């Protein structure tokens, strides 16, 4: 994940964004699926900042803890009305990038929090348990496959 995030930031060097990357913790024990999902959050967050935020600065942080991984993308852009975005999604039923991230995170037992205010920027925060959804599904499947005594 760390190498991929550094490469993602390097590919954005041609933009007018100043991007700061902060990484702590260890990838050991995290599944490829969880790490890829976190990468996609960073990728979508940077794409949205580049396309819509009119920001100058972006901070990406990731902390791979003993039980939980947290990734955040914070920008200094124009922000947006999160409740209006959620209402629009509910009414139109279209899959937008952020909604797709919420769905991806849900599949690995994680969640996405979006905080934004007009003129104050936006922060996306993704949180995923280290032993996420796939582990509990495998344990449940294993129990169901055992013969009953």
């Amino acid at each position: 994940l760390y190498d991929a995030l550094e490469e993602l930031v390097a590919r954005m060097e041609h933009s007018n964004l100043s991007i700061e990357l902060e990484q702590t913790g260890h990838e050991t024990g995290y599944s490829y699926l969880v790490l890829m999902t976190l990468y996609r959050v960073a990728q979508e967050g940077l794409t949205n900042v580049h396309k819509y935020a009119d920001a100058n600065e972006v901070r990406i942080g990731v902390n791979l803890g003993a039980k939980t991984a947290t990734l955040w993308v914070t920008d200094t852009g124009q922000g947006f009305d999160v409740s209006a975005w959620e209402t629009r999604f509910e009414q139109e039923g279209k899959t937008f990038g952020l909604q797709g991230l919420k769905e991806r995170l849900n599949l690995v037992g994680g969640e996405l929090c979006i905080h934004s205010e007009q003129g104050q920027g936006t922060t996306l925060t993704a949180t995923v348990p280290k032993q996420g959804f796939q582990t509990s599904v495998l344990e449940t499947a294993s129990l169901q496959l055992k013969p009953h005594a």
Side-chain angles (χ1 to χ4, degrees), residues 31-47:
S31 72
Y32 175 80
L33 183 58
V34 166
L35 297 175
M36 178 56 74
T37 301
L38 291 171
Y39 173 82
R40 294 293 183 214
V41 171
Q43 184 180 44
E44 181 68 23
L46 275 178
T47 298

Side-chain angles (χ1 to χ4, degrees), residues 31-82:
S31 72
Y32 175 80
L33 183 58
V34 166
L35 297 175
M36 178 56 74
T37 301
L38 291 171
Y39 173 82
R40 294 293 183 214
V41 171
Q43 184 180 44
E44 181 68 23
L46 275 178
T47 298
N48 287 345
V49 170
H50 183 70
K51 285 183 176 179
Y52 309 114
D54 194 26
N56 297 322
E57 298 176 7
V58 180
R59 283 187 55 229
I60 300 172
V62 62
N63 179 11
L64 300 175
K67 295 183 180 183
T68 305
T70 305
L71 182 137
W72 62 93
V73 179
T74 300
D75 70 62
T76 59
Q78 62 188 359
F80 68 100
D81 184 340
V82 177

Side-chain angles (χ1 to χ4, degrees), residues 46-135:
L46 275 178
T47 298
N48 287 345
V49 170
H50 183 70
K51 285 183 176 179
Y52 309 114
D54 194 26
N56 297 322
E57 298 176 7
V58 180
R59 283 187 55 229
I60 300 172
V62 62
N63 179 11
L64 300 175
K67 295 183 180 183
T68 305
T70 305
L71 182 137
W72 62 93
V73 179
T74 300
D75 70 62
T76 59
Q78 62 188 359
F80 68 100
D81 184 340
V82 177
S83 62
W85 168 78
E86 289 173 340
T87 300
R88 182 175 167 210
F89 173 77
E90 290 172 8
Q91 291 174 349
E92 296 178 13
K94 295 179 182 175
T95 301
F96 298 100
L98 293 177
Q99 186 60 33
L101 289 181
K102 283 186 169 192
E103 292 167 3
R104 278 181 188 243
L105 284 160
N106 188 44
L107 290 174
V108 293
E111 63 183 14
L112 181 69
C113 177
I114 305 168
H115 178 78
S116 187
E117 293 183 37
Q118 296 287 340
Q120 301 296 313
T122 301
T123 298
L124 304 179
T125 306
T127 307
V128 182
K130 187 172 193 174
Q131 301 301 320
F133 180 78
Q134 73 278 5
T135 302

